[in-house]
Amino acid sequence: MDAFDVVVPSLPGYGFSSAPLEPGVGSRDIADLWQELMTSLGYERFGAQGGDIGSGVSTWLARLFPDKVLGVHLNYVSAGFRPTLADGEDPTEEERAYQMSAASWAATEGAYSAMHSTKPQTLAFALSDSPVGLAAWISEKFRAWTDCDGDLESVLSLDTILTDISLYWFSGNLNASLRLYKENRLDPLIFAPDERLTPPFGIAHFPKELSIPPRSWVERVANVTRWSEVPAGGHFAALEQPDLLANEIREFFRPLR
């Protein structure tokens, strides 16, 4: 029988966590905070799991603290995850197709990210002033990025959607949650040609996830020991398909305990 202690901190400025008190706090810094948290709780070694921004934080944990991280499981590969090819080395056909797909996605779906990562303060004023605007900003992404075939309430209840929107509204942390995109743009996950992440990595790829790189792209840097194609779900896997995601996490970490 599996038995894990599960520690689920909120990103600074998200959920129930207070916003950073000064600029410059990106995913690298959050990884350092999580390492301090786990150490203070008495865990000498621990695993990390994440999707969306959490995938970048988890990858930074493996990069900065390989002696403490026993493994990393992701249900999304951070858009900033970029290996550097050696001189004279070309991407494979599959990797080139991914680069084209990512560029196409950025052109048609990436306006929100461009705004978050360049002018977060401007957008924060607008969304903090209009509950309807905030609801539209968030619910549009839920509809576009879930495995719902256009019927969002077939996957997420209205209570769940409104609870998520309310957390952003009542916390007053819109500026902090948007600014994190800018901090990550200024400090992306770019790896040197000979750099390797030593902890094992597991990837659970949900079918309606955003564009993610092929396994070969991730393996240029990471030691991928498990790559699963999950039958249903999208970008918000923990909300959409919690049982499928939990099973993938168990399967990956079981041999690493």
Coordinates of all heavy atoms in Angstrom, one line a residue, residues 111-171:
A111 N -1.7 35.6 -26.1 CA -1.7 37.1 -25.8 C -1.7 37.3 -24.3 O -1.1 38.2 -23.8 CB -3.0 37.6 -26.4
Y112 N -2.4 36.4 -23.6 CA -2.5 36.6 -22.1 C -1.1 36.5 -21.5 O -0.7 37.3 -20.6 CB -3.4 35.5 -21.5 CG -2.6 34.2 -21.3 CD1 -2.0 33.8 -20.1 CD2 -2.3 33.3 -22.4 CE1 -1.3 32.7 -19.9 CE2 -1.6 32.2 -22.2 CZ -1.1 31.9 -21.0 OH -0.3 30.7 -20.9
S113 N -0.3 35.6 -22.0 CA 1.1 35.4 -21.4 C 2.0 36.6 -21.8 O 2.8 37.0 -21.0 CB 1.7 34.1 -22.0 OG 3.0 33.9 -21.4
A114 N 1.8 37.1 -23.0 CA 2.6 38.3 -23.4 C 2.3 39.5 -22.5 O 3.2 40.2 -22.1 CB 2.4 38.6 -24.9
M115 N 1.0 39.6 -22.2 CA 0.6 40.7 -21.3 C 1.1 40.5 -19.9 O 1.6 41.4 -19.3 CB -0.9 40.8 -21.3 CG -1.5 42.1 -20.7 SD -1.1 43.5 -21.6 CE -1.9 44.8 -20.6
H116 N 0.9 39.3 -19.4 CA 1.3 39.0 -18.0 C 2.8 39.2 -17.8 O 3.3 39.7 -16.8 CB 1.1 37.5 -17.7 CG -0.4 37.2 -17.5 ND1 -0.8 36.0 -16.8 CD2 -1.5 37.8 -17.8 CE1 -2.1 35.9 -16.8 NE2 -2.5 37.0 -17.4
S117 N 3.6 38.8 -18.8 CA 5.1 38.8 -18.7 C 5.7 40.1 -19.1 O 6.9 40.3 -18.9 CB 5.7 37.7 -19.5 OG 5.4 37.8 -20.9
T118 N 5.0 41.1 -19.6 CA 5.5 42.4 -20.0 C 4.9 43.6 -19.3 O 5.6 44.5 -18.9 CB 5.5 42.6 -21.5 OG1 4.1 42.5 -22.0 CG2 6.3 41.5 -22.3
K119 N 3.6 43.6 -19.2 CA 2.8 44.7 -18.6 C 1.9 44.2 -17.5 O 0.7 44.5 -17.5 CB 2.1 45.5 -19.7 CG 2.9 45.9 -20.8 CD 3.9 46.9 -20.4 CE 4.7 47.4 -21.7 NZ 5.8 48.3 -21.3
P120 N 2.3 43.4 -16.5 CA 1.4 42.9 -15.5 C 0.7 43.9 -14.7 O -0.5 43.7 -14.3 CB 2.3 42.0 -14.7 CG 3.7 42.6 -14.8 CD 3.7 43.1 -16.2
Q121 N 1.3 45.0 -14.4 CA 0.7 46.0 -13.5 C -0.5 46.6 -14.2 O -1.6 46.8 -13.6 CB 1.7 47.1 -13.2 CG 1.2 48.1 -12.2 CD 1.3 47.6 -10.7 OE1 2.2 46.9 -10.4 NE2 0.2 47.9 -10.0
T122 N -0.4 46.9 -15.5 CA -1.5 47.5 -16.2 C -2.7 46.6 -16.2 O -3.9 47.0 -15.9 CB -1.1 47.8 -17.7 OG1 0.1 48.6 -17.7 CG2 -2.2 48.4 -18.5
L123 N -2.5 45.3 -16.5 CA -3.6 44.4 -16.5 C -4.2 44.2 -15.1 O -5.4 44.0 -14.9 CB -3.1 43.0 -17.0 CG -4.2 41.9 -17.1 CD1 -5.3 42.3 -18.1 CD2 -3.5 40.6 -17.6
A124 N -3.3 44.2 -14.1 CA -3.8 44.0 -12.7 C -4.8 45.0 -12.2 O -5.7 44.7 -11.6 CB -2.6 44.0 -11.7
F125 N -4.5 46.3 -12.6 CA -5.5 47.3 -12.3 C -6.9 47.0 -12.9 O -7.9 47.2 -12.2 CB -5.0 48.7 -12.8 CG -4.0 49.3 -11.9 CD1 -2.7 49.6 -12.3 CD2 -4.3 49.7 -10.6 CE1 -1.8 50.2 -11.5 CE2 -3.4 50.3 -9.7 CZ -2.1 50.5 -10.2
A126 N -6.9 46.6 -14.2 CA -8.2 46.4 -14.8 C -8.9 45.2 -14.2 O -10.1 45.3 -13.9 CB -7.9 46.1 -16.3
L127 N -8.2 44.1 -14.0 CA -8.8 42.9 -13.4 C -9.2 43.1 -12.0 O -10.2 42.5 -11.5 CB -7.9 41.7 -13.6 CG -7.6 41.3 -15.0 CD1 -6.7 40.0 -15.0 CD2 -8.8 41.0 -15.9
S128 N -8.5 43.9 -11.2 CA -8.8 44.1 -9.8 C -10.0 45.1 -9.7 O -10.6 45.2 -8.6 CB -7.6 44.7 -9.1 OG -6.5 43.8 -9.1
D129 N -10.4 45.7 -10.8 CA -11.5 46.7 -10.7 C -12.8 46.1 -11.2 O -13.8 46.7 -11.0 CB -11.1 47.9 -11.6 CG -12.1 49.1 -11.5 OD1 -12.3 49.5 -10.3 OD2 -12.7 49.5 -12.5
S130 N -12.7 45.0 -11.9 CA -13.9 44.4 -12.5 C -14.1 42.9 -12.3 O -13.3 42.1 -12.8 CB -13.9 44.7 -14.0 OG -15.0 44.0 -14.7
P131 N -15.0 42.5 -11.4 CA -15.2 41.1 -11.2 C -15.7 40.4 -12.5 O -15.3 39.2 -12.7 CB -16.3 41.0 -10.1 CG -16.9 42.4 -10.1 CD -15.9 43.3 -10.6
V132 N -16.4 41.1 -13.3 CA -16.8 40.5 -14.6 C -15.6 40.2 -15.5 O -15.5 39.2 -16.1 CB -17.9 41.3 -15.3 CG1 -18.2 40.8 -16.7 CG2 -19.2 41.4 -14.4
G133 N -14.8 41.3 -15.5 CA -13.5 41.1 -16.3 C -12.7 40.0 -15.9 O -12.1 39.2 -16.7
L134 N -12.5 39.9 -14.5 CA -11.7 38.8 -14.0 C -12.3 37.4 -14.3 O -11.6 36.5 -14.7 CB -11.5 39.0 -12.5 CG -10.8 37.9 -11.7 CD1 -9.3 37.8 -12.2 CD2 -10.8 38.1 -10.2
A135 N -13.6 37.3 -14.1 CA -14.3 36.1 -14.4 C -14.1 35.7 -15.9 O -13.9 34.5 -16.2 CB -15.8 36.2 -14.1
A136 N -14.2 36.7 -16.8 CA -14.0 36.4 -18.2 C -12.6 35.9 -18.5 O -12.4 35.0 -19.2 CB -14.4 37.6 -19.0
W137 N -11.6 36.6 -17.9 CA -10.2 36.3 -18.1 C -9.9 34.9 -17.7 O -9.2 34.2 -18.4 CB -9.4 37.3 -17.3 CG -7.9 37.4 -17.7 CD1 -6.9 36.8 -17.1 CD2 -7.4 38.1 -18.8 NE1 -5.7 37.1 -17.7 CE2 -6.0 37.9 -18.8 CE3 -7.9 38.9 -19.8 CZ2 -5.1 38.5 -19.8 CZ3 -7.1 39.5 -20.8 CH2 -5.7 39.3 -20.7
I138 N -10.4 34.5 -16.6 CA -10.1 33.1 -16.0 C -10.9 32.1 -16.7 O -10.4 31.0 -17.1 CB -10.2 33.1 -14.5 CG1 -9.2 34.0 -13.9 CG2 -10.1 31.7 -14.0 CD1 -9.3 34.1 -12.3
S139 N -12.2 32.3 -16.8 CA -13.1 31.2 -17.3 C -12.8 30.9 -18.8 O -13.0 29.8 -19.2 CB -14.6 31.6 -17.1 OG -14.9 32.8 -17.8
E140 N -12.4 31.9 -19.5 CA -12.0 31.7 -21.0 C -10.9 30.6 -21.0 O -10.9 29.8 -21.9 CB -11.6 33.0 -21.6 CG -11.4 32.8 -23.1 CD -9.9 32.5 -23.5 OE1 -9.0 32.9 -22.7 OE2 -9.7 31.7 -24.5
K141 N -9.9 30.7 -20.1 CA -8.8 29.8 -20.1 C -9.3 28.4 -19.7 O -8.8 27.4 -20.2 CB -7.7 30.3 -19.2 CG -7.0 31.5 -19.8 CD -6.4 31.3 -21.2 CE -6.0 32.5 -21.8 NZ -6.3 32.6 -23.3
F142 N -10.2 28.4 -18.7 CA -10.7 27.1 -18.3 C -11.4 26.4 -19.5 O -11.2 25.2 -19.7 CB -11.7 27.3 -17.2 CG -11.1 27.3 -15.8 CD1 -11.6 28.2 -14.8 CD2 -10.2 26.3 -15.4 CE1 -11.1 28.2 -13.5 CE2 -9.6 26.3 -14.1 CZ -10.1 27.3 -13.2
R143 N -12.2 27.1 -20.2 CA -12.9 26.6 -21.4 C -12.0 26.1 -22.5 O -12.1 25.1 -23.1 CB -13.9 27.6 -21.9 CG -14.8 27.0 -23.0 CD -15.8 28.0 -23.5 NE -16.8 27.4 -24.5 CZ -16.5 27.4 -25.8 NH1 -15.3 27.8 -26.2 NH2 -17.4 26.8 -26.6
A144 N -11.0 26.9 -22.7 CA -10.0 26.6 -23.8 C -9.1 25.5 -23.5 O -8.7 24.8 -24.4 CB -9.3 27.9 -24.2
W145 N -8.7 25.4 -22.3 CA -7.6 24.5 -21.9 C -8.0 23.2 -21.2 O -7.2 22.4 -20.8 CB -6.6 25.2 -21.0 CG -5.9 26.3 -21.7 CD1 -6.0 26.7 -23.1 CD2 -5.1 27.3 -21.1 NE1 -5.3 27.8 -23.3 CE2 -4.7 28.2 -22.1 CE3 -4.6 27.5 -19.8 CZ2 -3.8 29.3 -21.9 CZ3 -3.8 28.6 -19.6 CH2 -3.4 29.5 -20.6
T146 N -9.3 23.0 -21.0 CA -9.8 21.7 -20.4 C -10.3 20.8 -21.5 O -10.5 21.2 -22.6 CB -10.9 22.0 -19.4 OG1 -12.0 22.7 -20.1 CG2 -10.5 22.7 -18.2
D147 N -10.4 19.5 -21.1 CA -10.8 18.5 -22.1 C -12.4 18.5 -22.0 O -12.9 17.5 -21.4 CB -10.2 17.2 -21.7 CG -10.5 16.1 -22.7 OD1 -11.1 16.4 -23.8 OD2 -10.1 14.9 -22.5
C148 N -13.0 19.5 -22.5 CA -14.5 19.7 -22.3 C -15.3 19.8 -23.5 O -16.5 19.9 -23.5 CB -14.7 20.9 -21.4 SG -14.5 22.5 -22.2
D149 N -14.6 19.8 -24.7 CA -15.3 19.9 -26.0 C -16.3 21.1 -26.0 O -17.4 21.0 -26.6 CB -16.1 18.6 -26.3 CG -15.1 17.5 -26.6 OD1 -14.1 17.7 -27.2 OD2 -15.5 16.3 -26.2
G150 N -15.9 22.2 -25.4 CA -16.7 23.4 -25.4 C -17.7 23.5 -24.3 O -18.4 24.6 -24.2
D151 N -18.0 22.5 -23.6 CA -18.9 22.5 -22.5 C -18.2 22.4 -21.2 O -18.0 21.3 -20.6 CB -19.9 21.3 -22.6 CG -21.0 21.3 -21.6 OD1 -21.1 22.2 -20.8 OD2 -21.7 20.3 -21.5
L152 N -17.8 23.6 -20.6 CA -17.0 23.6 -19.5 C -17.6 22.9 -18.3 O -16.9 22.2 -17.5 CB -16.6 25.1 -19.1 CG -15.7 25.3 -17.9 CD1 -14.4 24.5 -18.0 CD2 -15.4 26.8 -17.8
E153 N -18.9 23.1 -18.1 CA -19.5 22.6 -16.9 C -19.7 21.0 -16.9 O -20.1 20.4 -15.9 CB -20.9 23.2 -16.6 CG -20.8 24.7 -16.1 CD -22.1 25.3 -15.8 OE1 -22.7 24.8 -14.8 OE2 -22.5 26.2 -16.4
S154 N -19.3 20.4 -18.1 CA -19.3 19.0 -18.1 C -18.1 18.4 -17.4 O -18.0 17.2 -17.1 CB -19.3 18.5 -19.6 OG -18.1 18.8 -20.3
V155 N -17.1 19.3 -17.2 CA -15.8 18.9 -16.6 C -15.7 19.5 -15.2 O -15.2 18.8 -14.2 CB -14.6 19.3 -17.5 CG1 -13.3 19.0 -16.8 CG2 -14.7 18.5 -18.8
L156 N -16.0 20.8 -15.1 CA -15.8 21.5 -13.8 C -17.2 22.1 -13.4 O -17.8 22.7 -14.2 CB -14.8 22.6 -13.9 CG -13.4 22.2 -14.3 CD1 -12.5 23.5 -14.5 CD2 -12.8 21.3 -13.4
S157 N -17.5 21.9 -12.1 CA -18.8 22.5 -11.7 C -18.7 24.0 -11.6 O -17.6 24.6 -11.5 CB -19.1 22.0 -10.3 OG -18.3 22.5 -9.3
L158 N -19.8 24.7 -11.7 CA -19.9 26.1 -11.6 C -19.3 26.6 -10.2 O -18.6 27.6 -10.1 CB -21.3 26.7 -11.8 CG -21.5 28.2 -11.9 CD1 -20.6 28.8 -13.0 CD2 -22.9 28.5 -12.0
D159 N -19.6 25.8 -9.2 CA -19.0 26.2 -7.8 C -17.5 26.1 -7.9 O -16.9 27.0 -7.2 CB -19.6 25.2 -6.8 CG -20.9 25.6 -6.3 OD1 -21.4 26.7 -6.6 OD2 -21.5 24.7 -5.6
T160 N -16.9 25.1 -8.5 CA -15.5 25.1 -8.6 C -14.9 26.2 -9.3 O -13.9 26.8 -8.9 CB -15.1 23.7 -9.3 OG1 -15.5 22.6 -8.5 CG2 -13.5 23.7 -9.5
I161 N -15.5 26.6 -10.5 CA -15.0 27.7 -11.3 C -15.1 29.0 -10.5 O -14.1 29.8 -10.4 CB -15.8 27.8 -12.6 CG1 -15.6 26.6 -13.4 CG2 -15.4 29.1 -13.4 CD1 -16.7 26.4 -14.5
L162 N -16.2 29.2 -9.8 CA -16.4 30.5 -9.1 C -15.6 30.5 -7.8 O -15.1 31.6 -7.4 CB -17.9 30.6 -8.7 CG -18.9 30.9 -9.9 CD1 -20.3 30.9 -9.4 CD2 -18.5 32.2 -10.6
T163 N -15.3 29.4 -7.2 CA -14.4 29.4 -6.1 C -13.0 29.8 -6.5 O -12.3 30.6 -5.8 CB -14.3 28.0 -5.5 OG1 -15.6 27.6 -5.0 CG2 -13.3 27.9 -4.3
D164 N -12.5 29.3 -7.6 CA -11.2 29.7 -8.1 C -11.1 31.2 -8.4 O -10.2 31.9 -8.0 CB -10.9 28.9 -9.4 CG -9.4 29.2 -9.9 OD1 -8.5 28.5 -9.4 OD2 -9.3 30.0 -10.7
I165 N -12.1 31.7 -9.1 CA -12.2 33.1 -9.4 C -12.2 33.9 -8.1 O -11.5 35.0 -8.0 CB -13.4 33.4 -10.3 CG1 -13.2 32.8 -11.7 CG2 -13.5 34.9 -10.5 CD1 -14.4 32.8 -12.5
S166 N -13.0 33.5 -7.1 CA -13.1 34.2 -5.9 C -11.8 34.3 -5.1 O -11.5 35.3 -4.4 CB -14.2 33.6 -5.0 OG -15.5 33.6 -5.6
L167 N -11.0 33.2 -5.2 CA -9.7 33.3 -4.5 C -8.8 34.4 -5.0 O -8.1 35.1 -4.3 CB -9.0 31.9 -4.6 CG -9.6 30.8 -3.8 CD1 -8.9 29.4 -4.2 CD2 -9.4 31.0 -2.3
Y168 N -8.8 34.6 -6.3 CA -8.1 35.7 -6.9 C -8.7 37.0 -6.5 O -8.0 38.0 -6.2 CB -8.1 35.6 -8.4 CG -7.1 34.5 -9.0 CD1 -7.5 33.2 -9.2 CD2 -5.8 34.9 -9.2 CE1 -6.6 32.3 -9.8 CE2 -4.9 33.9 -9.7 CZ -5.3 32.6 -10.0 OH -4.4 31.7 -10.5
W169 N -10.0 37.1 -6.5 CA -10.7 38.4 -6.2 C -10.5 38.8 -4.8 O -10.1 39.9 -4.5 CB -12.2 38.3 -6.6 CG -12.9 39.5 -6.3 CD1 -13.7 39.8 -5.3 CD2 -12.9 40.7 -7.2 NE1 -14.2 41.1 -5.4 CE2 -13.7 41.7 -6.5 CE3 -12.2 41.0 -8.4 CZ2 -13.9 43.0 -7.1 CZ3 -12.4 42.3 -8.9 CH2 -13.2 43.3 -8.3
F170 N -10.8 37.9 -3.9 CA -10.8 38.3 -2.4 C -9.4 38.4 -1.8 O -9.2 39.1 -0.8 CB -11.7 37.4 -1.6 CG -13.2 37.6 -2.0 CD1 -13.9 36.6 -2.6 CD2 -13.8 38.8 -1.6 CE1 -15.2 36.7 -2.9 CE2 -15.2 38.9 -1.9 CZ -15.9 37.9 -2.6
S171 N -8.4 37.7 -2.4 CA -7.1 37.8 -1.9 C -6.4 39.1 -2.1 O -5.5 39.5 -1.4 CB -6.2 36.7 -2.5 OG -5.9 36.9 -3.9

